[in-house]
Amino acid sequence: MDGTQAQVRLAPATKDDVGLVLWFIKQLAEYERAPDQVTATEELLRKNLFGPHPYAHVVLAYVTEDGVEQPAGFALYFYNFSTWVGRPGLYLEDLFVRSEFRSLGVGKRLLVHLAQTAKERECGRMEWVVLDWNEPSIQFYLSLGAQQLKEWIINRVSGSALEHLADL
């Protein structure tokens, strides 16, 4: 695909896009070598992204070339809060661009859009994680001014461990 002819359009996902959002999540899991870890369903996404109390937001990216528009990528984000900064933050949970649309500026457009959203919402920062083996993404993020916080370790409690902790 010739990047000089491609046009990128961003749009917020709606409940009608749930199937596409789930497809992107599965594509990302495949890329991250963890396709068996996806347990999300359209019903869960519809409830948690587009129900009465949405927990996250999704931006879809489309590429048009030669008059044909195709879904190219997505970003799923939510707001957190920094006690040290005293302001909300924007947390990017997932960013994925289909391989055939990489190097067309789709990922950059999504990140710039999220940075603009964070600025409009007066967020103190924008954060995300990247797998340590994903060198192309690491270099891409660094080129945009991201800083790696290697002194922080992610902690997670899920499944039976979450059930156990909740019952203590």
Side-chain angles (χ1 to χ4, degrees):
M1 183 171 285
D2 179 2
T4 59
Q5 297 177 355
Q7 294 179 358
V8 179
R9 177 178 71 87
L10 303 182
T14 69
K15 64 182 179 201
D16 294 333
D17 298 313
V18 167
L20 179 59
V21 171
L22 182 57
W23 183 79
F24 273 129
I25 291 169
K26 290 179 177 179
Q27 292 295 303
L28 173 61
E30 188 75 34
Y31 176 78
E32 292 184 348
R33 307 172 189 161
D36 57 324
Q37 293 184 30
V38 175
T39 60
T41 64
E42 287 189 21
E43 292 75 27
L44 281 171
L45 294 177
R46 192 172 291 107
K47 172 187 171 190
N48 293 311
L49 296 177
F50 305 106
H53 304 289
Y55 291 100
H57 309 276
V58 179
V59 178
L60 298 170
Y62 297 90
V63 168
T64 300
E65 186 174 62
D66 299 327
V68 178
E69 184 176 75
Q70 297 182 66
F74 87 121
L76 188 147
Y77 67 98
F78 57 88
Y79 297 98
N80 57 19
F81 190 83
S82 170
T83 55
W84 288 10
V85 178
R87 297 164 66 180
L90 188 149
Y91 188 84
L92 173 59
E93 178 66 26
D94 286 330
L95 174 71
F96 179 75
V97 176
R98 293 169 57 193
S99 60
E100 60 265 39
F101 298 112
R102 293 184 190 140
S103 301
L104 296 179
V106 176
K108 183 176 181 179
R109 283 282 307 275
L110 285 164
L111 282 172
V112 167
H113 174 77
L114 294 181
Q116 291 169 342
T117 300
K119 185 177 174 183
E120 289 167 8
R121 295 285 305 259
E122 299 183 4
C123 293
R125 58 185 172 210
M126 189 167 106
E127 295 179 312
W128 63 93
V129 297
V130 60
L131 290 167
D132 60 2
W133 56 260
N134 192 348
E135 195 59 34
S137 292
I138 290 169
Q139 293 307 314
F140 171 62
Y141 298 143
L142 291 174
S143 78
L144 296 176
Q147 298 175 354
Q148 294 183 336
L149 305 177
K150 294 186 178 191
E151 66 274 14
W152 291 89
I153 297 173
I154 296 172
N155 291 274
R156 177 179 295 161
V157 179
S158 63
S160 61
L162 178 59
E163 293 293 327
H164 176 72
L165 181 58
D167 291 339
L168 291 180

